[in-house]
Amino acid sequence: MKALVYGRGISGKGSEKLLIEKGYSVEYVSDDTGNEVLDDADLLVLSPSVPLERPLVRRAELSGIEVVGEMELASRYVDNDIIAVTGTNGKTTTTMMISSLLTESGLKHKTLGNIGKSFAGSVGDVEKDDMILLEVSSFQLETITSFRPKVAILLNIAPDHLERHKTYDEYVRVKTSIFENMTKNDFAIANYDDEAVRNAASGIMPSTYYFSVKERVRGAYVQNGHVFFMGEKMFPLENLKFNAEHNIANALAVITLAKIFNIPNSIILRSFNKFTLPPHRIEFVGRYNGKNYFNDSKATNIDATIKAVKSMRGSTALIVGGYDKGISYYRLFASLDKKVKCVVIFGQNRHRVEECIKDFDIRYYVCDTLSLAITSAKKERVENVLFSPATSSYDMFRNYEERGEVFTQLVGDINEK
């Protein structure tokens, strides 16, 4: 048997490892690979970064070769219960919260997927009594056919990755496909406060629970300063230690999962108390010359930046911009309240962003580099400088982590001059 692997990153290497273990010969391919490689191939496995529109992928499909993604491939070789977490924002944070909960509960699990460790490459390490916890992206869901989680959590849906999915409706379809192979014996956990998610969860096959920071729902919710689950008063909201609304919502999703698994309230709270939010998410960098600096490099879409701005207390200079996804910033600027005193724009998409902001009465600057953007923000008479780009980092940086680290370093360097 022969398998082709498109992509040499973490997913590609993980797929190669699994395929070899299962008796395949493996060859890496790209769009530069000639058609002859398809002649005796049985399978083409795509890394998440590879769009379905690539010429070689289309040629493989026309040749009758099965095309699957790394996550779909891996799921075919495990019988373990899978907990899958997806959404436009909050996937990593929620997945890490769940991992902390399962650890505190003594439940064996492997945390894999988009969070950084290849699902396919780890199949051989999964033991019979392990649960598999996956952070799942839209790119991974694009290539599923039989992938079926025991529990699927859909956190939110906001316009993102339109350079890949072309339309918002297609992006919603891909995100909500996480439910399509589930049965009545499985569980869906959905954000009731997000209209797209609520609509997607209506009438699906699995047993559906909701979470909400605004409404009483079948699941976890907030009411009168307390957290409830299905009418049971669990504990005061302040015990969660999370202040931002979006992190409260993430925690409610985790609480819903915990109650499905009959995990005691005391253990739920203990896991939250031990949990630390991952870096680059509205992370306090330091206070310099009377200003608080926040690194929110993980904000790779408009919705994430809107949430970050809402979390600020006091006057704020907002730094945005980066890789050009072809997305309008109009919705961001329409949502800004008076606490944002100016916007500093940098990055590949700076001219597209400038065209949007011209329609609003917002003072702004356009800069060529992140260093100049920070320098401009430093001159503002504000209490906070928030770096929340609202787009990906690939114009100047390898990933959002590197971008956040560079921001943090530059903040120190510029303020020490």
Side-chain angles (χ1 to χ4, degrees):
M1 296 184 296
K2 177 182 173 181
L4 309 177
V5 174
Y6 197 143
R8 291 177 176 267
I10 292 172
S11 292
K13 291 174 181 176
S15 296
E16 178 192 29
K17 180 175 182 288
L18 176 59
L19 288 163
I20 290 173
E21 289 172 356
K22 300 304 177 183
Y24 284 86
S25 64
V26 177
E27 183 174 342
Y28 283 103
V29 297
S30 70
D31 269 345
D32 296 327
T33 305
N35 287 342
E36 63 276 3
V37 77
L38 302 175
D39 291 344
D40 55 350
D42 301 289
L43 186 67
L44 172 59
V45 182
L46 305 182
S47 295
S49 61
V50 180
L52 293 171
E53 290 78 16
R54 290 285 172 84
L56 184 70
V57 178
R58 291 304 187 204
R59 291 198 297 269
E61 290 175 330
L62 290 171
S63 300
I65 297 168
E66 185 180 17
V67 177
V68 300
E70 179 250 357
M71 187 176 72
E72 170 68 26
L73 173 72
S75 69
R76 296 178 178 185
Y77 292 101
V78 295
D79 293 323
N80 308 64
D81 285 344
I82 294 173
I83 302 169
V85 181
T86 196
T88 304
N89 296 304
K91 295 185 295 295
T92 300
T93 298
T94 304
T95 302
M96 292 176 69
M97 282 182 182
I98 294 171
S99 181
S100 175
L101 171 74
L102 297 178
T103 298
E104 196 65 31
S105 306
L107 296 173
K108 289 186 61 184
H109 67 286
K110 294 284 191 301
T111 304
L112 307 168
N114 200 47
I115 202 165
K117 197 168 184 182
S118 165
F119 182 12
S122 303
V123 165
D125 300 324
V126 174
E127 298 178 6
K128 188 175 181 180
D129 56 348
D130 281 333
M131 282 188 285
I132 297 172
L133 173 60
L134 298 177
E135 178 188 329
V136 178
S137 72
S138 63
F139 294 175
Q140 292 166 315
L141 287 169
E142 204 173 33
T143 50
I144 66 169
T145 54
S146 62
F147 173 73
R148 175 195 156 207
K150 180 67 177 178
V151 182
I153 300 176
L154 182 52
L155 297 170
N156 45 64
I157 303 177
D160 198 11
H161 296 304
L162 299 190
E163 80 286 5
R164 170 81 168 250
H165 300 299
K166 308 308 179 188
T167 68
Y168 176 62
D169 286 346
E170 175 61 11
Y171 177 62
V172 172
R173 185 198 68 77
V174 171
K175 275 292 188 190
T176 56
S177 68
I178 195 168
F179 300 131
E180 67 183 20
N181 297 315
M182 299 175 73
T183 73
K184 63 182 181 180
N185 297 318
D186 302 321
F187 300 93
I189 299 174
N191 184 352
Y192 190 85
D193 300 331
D194 186 304
E195 183 178 6
V197 174
R198 186 171 67 248
N199 290 341
S202 176
I204 58 176
M205 181 67 73
S207 179
T208 305
Y209 291 84
Y210 294 95
F211 59 95
S212 172
V213 297
K214 299 174 182 177
E215 306 279 348
R216 179 170 178 155
V217 295
R218 183 178 187 267
Y221 56 95
V222 175
Q223 191 173 58
N224 300 324
H226 282 76
V227 174
F228 287 78
F229 181 81
M230 303 281 284
E232 171 201 349
K233 183 187 284 189
M234 295 179 62
F235 41 72
L237 178 62
E238 62 186 21
N239 288 9
L240 279 180
K241 85 173 184 178
F242 303 119
N243 296 320
E245 184 176 284
H246 60 281
N247 279 326
I248 293 173
N250 295 338
L252 292 174
V254 177
I255 288 167
T256 305
L257 174 75
K259 298 302 282 187
I260 290 172
F261 285 179
N262 295 313
I263 296 173
N265 295 351
S266 59
I267 292 179
I268 296 171
L269 271 180
R270 195 158 69 230
S271 74
F272 283 134
N273 288 332
K274 291 182 178 181
F275 179 75
T276 302
L277 288 170
H280 311 297
R281 293 155 174 83
I282 323 180
E283 178 185 15
F284 178 64
V285 170
R287 185 172 176 82
Y288 298 92
N289 303 312
K291 294 181 179 65
N292 302 310
Y293 286 79
F294 294 90
N295 164 24
D296 192 38
S297 182
K298 183 61 173 70
T300 57
N301 55 69
I302 301 296
D303 195 60
T305 297
I306 290 173
K307 290 173 180 175
V309 170
K310 286 181 179 179
S311 74
M312 290 293 103
R313 296 178 180 176
S315 57
T316 300
L318 173 64
I319 302 174
V320 300
Y323 176 68
D324 191 351
K325 290 184 177 182
I327 293 176
S328 168
Y329 276 55
Y330 189 93
R331 187 164 63 92
L332 170 63
F333 298 135
S335 76
L336 295 183
D337 60 32
K338 292 181 180 180
K339 76 174 74 166
V340 178
K341 301 304 179 184
C342 80
V343 175
V344 185
I345 306 164
F346 86 110
Q348 181 190 55
N349 68 346
R350 61 191 180 278
H351 299 303
R352 181 190 295 273
V353 178
E354 184 181 13
E355 286 305 308
C356 289
I357 203 170
K358 284 179 179 178
D359 290 338
F360 297 88
D361 184 22
I362 302 172
R363 190 156 47 86
Y364 70 91
Y365 306 95
V366 179
C367 302
D368 290 339
T369 67
L370 180 54
S371 177
L372 289 173
I374 295 168
T375 300
S376 295
K378 176 187 174 183
K379 297 175 183 177
E380 291 296 306
R381 292 178 132 184
V382 293
E383 297 168 68
N384 308 303
V385 174
L386 171 63
F387 177 51
S388 189
T391 191
S392 301
S393 58
Y394 306 125
D395 58 330
M396 297 181 179
F397 308 97
R398 289 194 306 270
N399 47 46
Y400 75 82
E401 292 96 340
E402 182 188 54
R403 180 172 64 181
E405 289 162 5
V406 170
F407 172 78
T408 299
Q409 181 66 47
L410 286 172
V411 166
D413 292 347
I414 289 169
N415 279 284
E416 287 171 4
K417 291 180 180 177

